[in-house]
């Protein structure tokens, strides 16, 4: 199989196992933010080792039906992405939050302590990413070209200096101020995962212990901590749980549909 490397299935199994482990740790209340830092560093490092195709690119190459770049058959690549989607539908965006190297490196950048810009209007962002998604499909299906190549993910993780990798470095600098610009505006696979997460079976929920202090709202970089937010863009970053002053007021649990408001 052209381009096949054992590292690719290894990266996939790393993601699947860690999604389940993270889900267990959050659900059982054993999650520690320190573990998050370690996983983010490991995921970023794996991105540099595996280099390509990372999830957004895998989705792109699938749309282009580029078996050479995928390194596996179309069917296997599609099944891999489908499994991550189903796990996101089950548990929320642990994959995006911690395991996708492209997301992990932006998450690390977002933790640099500089003033942050939080956009509270979700609709404009949704419109822009919808337009980007249509453009992405148009380029792939009609022009047989690759939108994501302009953002240099592969070049960045392969440590190749190109215009694209410079664009991605700029995006990382933006990530320090504006949370995960690539994930929230550009990533076409992320758009699908956000749809899965918006109806995920498990999600962060306020409980009856909540005193409505709004600390979680203020700490959330994507404005998803309010009661009954769909959590489509919740990356399970833990900022809200970290600032909640009441034990048990914010829990990762089965979505009930009538979260305390
Ligand atoms: S949105 Fe895309 S780039 Fe961001 S973490 Fe998810 S799959 Fe990776
Ligand atoms: S602060 Fe809370 S609600 Fe907001 S993205 Fe992070 S985990 Fe999700
Ligand atoms: S969940 Fe916690 S941080 Fe959020 S409003 Fe309730 S008590 Fe405050």
């Amino acid at each position: 199989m052209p381009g096949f490397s054992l590292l690719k299935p290894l990266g996939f199994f790393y993601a699947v196992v860690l999604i389940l482990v993270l889900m267990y740790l959050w659900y059982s209340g054993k999650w520690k933010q320190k573990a998050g830092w370690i996983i983010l560093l490991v995921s970023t490092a794996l991105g540099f080792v595996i280099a390509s195709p990372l999830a957004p690119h895998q989705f792109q190459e699938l749309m282009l039906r580029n078996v050479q770049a995928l390194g596996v058959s179309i069917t296997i690549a599609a099944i891999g992405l489908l499994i991550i989607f189903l796990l996101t539908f089950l548990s929320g965006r642990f994959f995006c939050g911690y395991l996708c190297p492209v997301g992990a490196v932006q998450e690390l950048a977002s933790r640099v302590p500089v003033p942050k810009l939080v956009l509270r209007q979700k609709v404009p962002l949704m419109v822009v990413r919808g337009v980007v998604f249509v453009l992405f499909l148009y380029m792939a299906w009609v022009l047989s070209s690759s939108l994501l190549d302009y953002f240099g993910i592969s070049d960045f993780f392969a440590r190749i200096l190109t215009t694209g990798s410079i664009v991605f470095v700029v995006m990382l600098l933006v990530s320090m101020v504006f949370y995960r610009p690539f994930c929230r505006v550009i990533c076409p696979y992320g758009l699908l995962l956000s749809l899965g997460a918006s109806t995920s079976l498990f999600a962060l929920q306020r409980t009856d212990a909540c005193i409505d202090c709004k600390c979680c709202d203020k700490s959330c970089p994507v404005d998803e901590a309010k009661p009954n937010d769909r959590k489509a863009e919740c990356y399970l970053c833990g900022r809200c749980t970290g600032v909640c002053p009441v034990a048990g007021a914010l829990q990762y649990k089965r979505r009930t549909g009538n979260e305390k408001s």
Side-chain angles (χ1 to χ4, degrees), residues 79-200:
I79 290 173
L81 291 174
L82 181 63
I83 289 172
I84 299 294
F85 176 84
L86 291 175
L87 285 170
T88 301
F89 173 65
L90 170 73
S91 66
R93 296 181 74 176
F94 285 121
F95 175 75
C96 289
Y98 296 92
L99 306 169
C100 170
V102 187
V105 72
Q106 288 173 88
E107 182 67 43
L108 289 172
S110 77
R111 297 189 182 195
V112 175
V114 292
K116 308 293 180 191
L117 172 71
V118 178
L119 194 63
R120 300 232 168 246
Q121 289 81 28
K122 292 178 191 167
V123 176
L125 213 54
M126 283 164 64
V127 171
V128 174
R129 83 183 303 194
V131 170
V132 172
F133 189 77
V134 172
L135 179 66
F136 164 80
L137 289 182
Y138 177 78
M139 287 179 71
W141 290 346
V142 181
L143 306 178
S144 297
S145 68
S146 319
L147 176 72
L148 297 189
D149 288 358
Y150 293 98
F151 296 93
I153 310 166
S154 296
D155 291 345
F156 173 81
F157 280 103
R159 298 176 301 281
I160 300 169
L161 184 63
T162 59
T163 311
S165 59
I166 293 171
V167 169
F168 192 70
V169 170
V170 170
M171 218 158 233
L172 286 182
L173 294 174
V174 174
S175 303
M176 293 182 197
V177 179
F178 181 74
Y179 190 64
R180 290 178 179 251
F182 183 84
C183 297
R184 296 166 66 203
V185 181
I186 310 294
C187 183
Y189 185 51
L191 178 72
L192 300 186
L193 294 182
S194 73
L195 294 177
S198 68
T199 49
S200 63

Side-chain angles (χ1 to χ4, degrees), residues 39-86:
I39 296 171
L40 287 170
L41 289 168
V42 171
S43 299
T44 302
L46 276 178
F48 286 107
V49 175
I50 297 173
S52 179
L54 303 173
H57 253 112
Q58 185 170 338
F59 182 63
Q60 172 173 276
E61 301 312 333
L62 192 64
M63 294 299 104
L64 286 162
R65 303 182 66 79
N66 185 349
V67 179
Q68 180 78 26
L70 285 169
V72 291
S73 70
I74 298 279
T75 310
I76 290 178
I79 290 173
L81 291 174
L82 181 63
I83 289 172
I84 299 294
F85 176 84
L86 291 175

Side-chain angles (χ1 to χ4, degrees), residues 26 204 216 219-222 224-225 231 233-241:
W26 276 73
L204 271 171
C216 52
S219 72
C220 181
V222 287
E224 285 277 23
K231 307 288 189 280
E233 288 300 316
C234 170
Y235 293 87
L236 294 146
C237 66
R239 287 173 174 84
C240 53
T241 49

